[in-house]
Amino acid sequence: MKEKLYTIELTDAVKSGDECLFCWLERKLEQEMLEFVLGASYMEDDIRGETSKKGFCRHHTKMMFDYGNNLGNAWILKSRLEYLNQELKRQMDHYVPGKGPGLFGKLRKAEKAVQESASSGAETWLRSEESHCYVCGRMEMVYGRMLDTFVYMLRNDPDFCRLLMGSKGFCLHHFADVLRVCEEKLKPQEKEKWIPELGTLMERNLHRVQEDIDWLIEKYDYRNRDADWRQSQDAVQRTMQKIVGIYPADPVFKCRK
């Protein structure tokens, strides 16, 4: 079939041998996004305008620091701080400080309500600033398109389907997304075919990982000291990935100089 948007990426992911093809794609996408944000793009006004308003979550802020582009980080943080300073001033300008106890209970109650309302507005704004991230937002958008492409390939690409059914499947986190998009996008007869098959794929691979982690534990028994490790030496990190969708053994992602 003719390659379409994200079909190449999905094919590469399923060929990677990873415990989850979407973990593999997500990591690749996240690293590409960090390279983009801390590359020459931080000098572009439209990109810095977006990053100034959207900011970054804790996870991606730490990744940006670890990446190592000090000047790029400084420019992005400068613009973000300028935006936050302006907005915080605007929010706090509406804050009414509380006054001491007065003689009239109703007046005191009204003053307290005004104070709480103004203070709550600033707090709500601050909390909202923690709820969005430029990298997370871009990744979520692309990930949605990749899920749509996954459904497209289930329908139209027999070679991809063959590779998929011989792969290690997904982590549980991403498998939930796969089930959701299949339920939403596939026709009834397609659901009857693919959802059970994908379930079988997951059960087979969870059993494989279970065997590996079980054997890793058995290997610590002195009676198995000279036995082969089989596939269990990296079973802890692979099991962690299979359950929650992370790469605990990954090195820090750094700028390639």
Side-chain angles (χ1 to χ4, degrees):
M1 62 168 285
K2 185 179 179 180
E3 296 285 4
K4 298 178 73 68
L5 188 63
Y6 300 123
T7 57
I8 294 174
E9 289 86 346
L10 281 164
T11 301
D12 288 346
V14 81
K15 287 179 177 179
S16 70
D18 199 89
E19 287 292 344
C20 172
L21 69 94
F22 281 110
C23 282
W24 189 89
L25 286 168
E26 191 174 63
R27 177 174 60 183
K28 180 174 181 288
L29 177 60
E30 185 174 52
Q31 292 177 354
E32 288 173 350
M33 284 300 306
L34 261 292
E35 287 178 326
F36 171 76
V37 168
L38 288 168
S41 66
Y42 67 79
M43 296 301 294
E44 298 176 16
D45 290 341
D46 57 336
I47 300 299
R48 269 225 324 279
E50 281 193 70
T51 59
S52 297
K53 292 180 180 179
K54 294 180 180 177
F56 302 90
C57 64
R58 289 181 173 187
H59 169 67
H60 288 123
T61 298
K62 180 62 165 64
M63 282 193 73
M64 289 165 63
F65 177 80
D66 289 338
Y67 184 72
N69 184 341
N70 211 40
L71 179 60
N73 273 300
W75 272 109
I76 290 169
L77 293 171
K78 167 185 164 62
S79 299
R80 177 68 173 155
L81 269 177
E82 288 171 351
Y83 169 79
L84 291 172
N85 272 316
Q86 293 170 5
E87 187 61 23
L88 181 60
K89 183 180 185 307
R90 189 179 74 81
Q91 292 287 336
M92 296 309 295
D93 281 346
H94 296 291
Y95 174 71
V96 179
K99 297 181 180 179
L103 297 175
F104 303 100
K106 289 185 179 180
L107 180 58
R108 186 166 63 247
K109 186 175 180 180
E111 288 173 350
K112 183 179 179 182
V114 170
Q115 176 189 351
E116 288 178 349
S117 174
S119 137
S120 174
E123 180 186 353
T124 300
W125 169 73
L126 286 168
R127 296 301 181 197
S128 73
E129 287 301 307
E130 298 178 330
S131 68
H132 46 71
C133 166
Y134 178 81
V135 175
C136 288
R138 291 293 295 267
M139 287 181 61
E140 184 178 350
M141 178 186 66
V142 175
Y143 177 53
R145 293 175 182 171
M146 286 179 170
L147 285 171
D148 288 343
T149 303
F150 176 80
V151 172
Y152 173 86
M153 295 178 78
L154 283 184
R155 286 173 163 164
N156 298 283
D157 192 335
D159 290 337
F160 173 80
C161 295
R162 176 181 51 79
L163 289 169
L164 175 65
M165 296 312 295
S167 76
K168 295 178 179 177
F170 316 92
C171 69
L172 294 177
H173 171 78
H174 287 121
F175 186 51
D177 292 335
V178 168
L179 289 176
R180 174 183 54 78
V181 76
C182 285
E183 188 64 39
E184 291 174 355
K185 305 284 185 179
L186 291 177
K187 297 176 181 177
Q189 62 270 29
E190 292 171 330
K191 293 178 191 178
E192 290 178 9
K193 169 181 169 58
W194 280 114
I195 290 179
E197 289 198 23
L198 293 172
T200 299
L201 173 66
M202 280 300 296
E203 289 172 13
R204 181 171 71 246
N205 280 287
L206 283 175
H207 181 69
R208 171 182 55 80
V209 174
Q210 179 79 65
E211 287 184 335
D212 290 343
I213 202 75
D214 289 349
W215 179 244
L216 175 64
I217 293 169
E218 291 296 322
K219 188 69 176 71
Y220 280 91
D221 188 314
Y222 75 95
R223 290 169 295 185
N224 296 318
R225 181 179 54 192
D226 297 324
D228 189 81
W229 283 92
R230 302 176 192 172
Q231 305 298 318
S232 70
Q233 283 183 301
D234 63 347
V236 167
Q237 53 261 47
R238 287 190 295 105
T239 302
M240 288 179 176
Q241 182 190 355
K242 209 68 174 173
I243 293 173
V244 296
I246 60 169
Y247 289 102
D250 266 6
V252 170
F253 180 59
K254 288 187 173 290
C255 179
R256 289 171 278 192
K257 297 178 181 179

